[in-house]
Amino acid sequence: RGASYSRNQGAAAAAGQILCFVDSDCRVSPRWLREMSVMFEDPLVAAGGGLVAGQFTRKALDRYEQVQSALHMGLLPRDSRDGDPFFYLPSCNLAVRRDCFRLVGGFNERLKVGEDVDLCWRLMNRGGAIAYRPEATVYHRHRNRLTEFCKRRYEYGTSEPLLQAMHPQRRKQLVV
């Protein structure tokens, strides 16, 4: 049924007040949970996440993804209150307050990709802040074969019109 369904099922079974999500092709850094928890000292933070670094660097696509992946949010702390209406956190390295997650209905199970963008934007629409600390690092096994890489980028592109339709106030414009 997809990643969103699985994440929602995990969230429903979880007992804690903070729900943490990490993908099966990721491994967390030793201080990951501690660094994640720091963000939730701010009561206005609905969700937090950290750096998605690559597990490997031997192939050119590994090195490219290390700095240009759609999952790479940068090397500096960020916050949705800084004014970027398109800011989001990838679900492969994400923590969300349980009550906020429930309030917005969790991950949209109709979306194959872009579900993390949608979740973050719905949290922000409800007034929740989204915080990013690169110290909360996970190491992702990026798609480093050209066919898999291109297929994933294509899938990301297919989510764009769906996200634009669901969030018209965040409509992107191409300036020529």
Side-chain angles (χ1 to χ4, degrees), residues 113 152-161:
V113 293
R152 189 55 161 182
R153 289 298 173 117
Y154 172 81
E155 289 170 344
Y156 286 159
T158 64
S159 72
E160 193 69 27

Side-chain angles (χ1 to χ4, degrees), residues 17-122:
Q17 295 305 306
I18 305 293
L19 307 170
C20 294
F21 301 94
V22 64
D23 285 1
S24 63
D25 59 355
C26 294
R27 64 180 174 81
V28 301
S29 62
R31 295 179 48 86
W32 178 73
L33 201 52
R34 181 173 295 133
E35 296 297 341
M36 279 291 209
S37 67
V38 168
M39 291 178 270
F40 293 96
E41 292 173 3
D42 179 343
L44 299 179
V45 169
L51 179 68
V52 178
Q55 285 187 24
F56 307 109
T57 58
R58 49 182 187 258
K59 291 186 175 183
L61 279 177
D62 289 321
R63 293 186 298 277
Y64 175 83
E65 288 282 60
Q66 187 77 350
V67 294
Q68 291 298 321
S69 170
L71 307 176
H72 189 276
M73 300 291 112
L75 299 175
L76 299 174
R78 295 177 62 190
D79 191 297
S80 62
R81 294 170 282 195
D82 295 339
D84 179 358
F86 304 109
F87 181 59
Y88 73 96
L89 300 168
S91 55
C92 66
N93 187 4
L94 179 67
V96 185
R97 289 187 195 276
R98 170 197 291 284
D99 57 340
C100 297
F101 186 82
R102 285 184 176 165
L103 184 67
V104 300
F107 287 102
N108 184 337
E109 296 177 15
R110 295 178 315 215
L111 295 173
K112 181 178 177 182
V113 293
E115 76 284 352
D116 42 12
V117 178
D118 173 63
L119 176 70
C120 288
W121 289 357
R122 286 185 285 125

